[in-house]
């Protein structure tokens, strides 16, 4: 017996592979091998399905290693330099960390590779176009204000509208 749940809708969205927005993430000078794609899909439930596939995370050379990396949406899409022009976390409701709309779930890097998908109702795809996805060198402690003590910015990608 097949039971209909939102998961089935999400699987179909991923199979169609037509995100409404994407961010091609590239590494900083301290992590030049880092790259990947973060995709944003609107859903019929409101909210956004977020899929991230990232290569070249710092733990790539450590055999059988795992490590967590904080991921946030920042205010601005300017990924120049060492990503200092991305602003603060995207936080239209003025909420404390980790309840900002831009506080995403962490990546679990396995010997430099991470893939993950999650659903979030704190923002819509249209609201984040032109902002940036930031990957930090460390894990988010989900406590320290305003940004979780996640370490330096090692990856950045501007969120751009997908093709219809």
């Amino acid at each position: 017996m097949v039971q209909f749940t939102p998961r089935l809708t999400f699987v179909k969205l991923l199979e169609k592979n037509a995100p409404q927005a994407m961010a091609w993430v590239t590494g900083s000078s301290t992590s030049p091998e880092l790259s990947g794609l973060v995709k944003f899909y609107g859903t019929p439930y409101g909210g956004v399905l977020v899929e991230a596939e990232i290569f070249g995370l710092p733990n790539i050379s450590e055999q059988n290693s795992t490590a967590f990396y904080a991921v946030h949406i920042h205010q601005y899409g300017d990924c120049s330099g060492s990503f200092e022009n991305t602003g603060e976390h995207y936080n239209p409701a003025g909420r404390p960390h980790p309840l900002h709309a831009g506080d995403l779930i962490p990546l679990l890097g396995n010997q430099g590779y991470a893939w993950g998908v999650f659903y979030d109702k704190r923002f819509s795809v249209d609201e984040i176009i032109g902002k940036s996805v930031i990957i930090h060198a460390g894990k988010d402690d989900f406590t320290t204000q305003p940004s979780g003590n996640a370490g330096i910015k090692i990856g950045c990608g501007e969120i751009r509208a997908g093709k219809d």
Side-chain angles (χ1 to χ4, degrees):
M1 172 169 156
V2 175
Q3 186 176 16
F4 184 78
T5 67
R7 181 189 66 82
L8 295 175
T9 301
F10 297 160
V11 167
K12 288 179 182 178
L13 284 171
L14 294 173
E15 285 176 346
K16 197 175 181 183
N17 196 26
Q20 289 177 289
M22 296 173 282
W24 181 254
V25 177
T26 57
S28 66
S29 60
T30 61
S31 295
E33 62 285 337
L34 191 149
S35 67
L37 192 60
V38 180
K39 301 176 185 178
F40 301 90
Y41 301 84
T43 76
Y45 309 106
V48 179
L49 188 66
V50 181
E51 178 187 23
E53 184 173 31
I54 306 296
F55 302 88
L57 289 163
N59 67 328
I60 194 167
S61 61
E62 300 169 36
Q63 188 68 26
N64 301 318
S65 67
T66 60
F68 286 100
Y69 300 92
V71 182
H72 303 121
I73 295 174
H74 281 243
Q75 295 170 304
Y76 310 117
D78 183 353
C79 291
S80 62
S82 57
F83 318 140
E84 65 274 1
N85 297 320
T86 57
E88 302 295 324
H89 289 187
Y90 174 59
N91 188 10
R95 302 196 65 193
H97 184 76
L99 304 174
H100 303 151
D103 293 326
L104 305 182
I105 66 169
L107 291 172
L108 175 57
N110 289 283
Q111 201 166 337
Y113 175 77
W115 180 82
V117 178
F118 64 94
Y119 173 67
D120 198 321
K121 282 190 91 166
R122 296 174 297 162
F123 57 87
S124 70
V125 173
D126 291 341
E127 292 171 350
I128 59 171
I129 302 292
K131 299 187 180 344
S132 60
V133 172
I134 295 291
I135 298 174
H136 292 269
K139 62 185 178 184
D140 192 320
D141 68 12
F142 299 110
T143 303
T144 306
Q145 299 299 322
S147 61
N149 196 30
I152 64 169
K153 299 171 184 176
I154 61 170
C156 183
E158 180 183 354
I159 301 170
R160 298 178 183 198
K163 296 180 180 178
D164 293 332

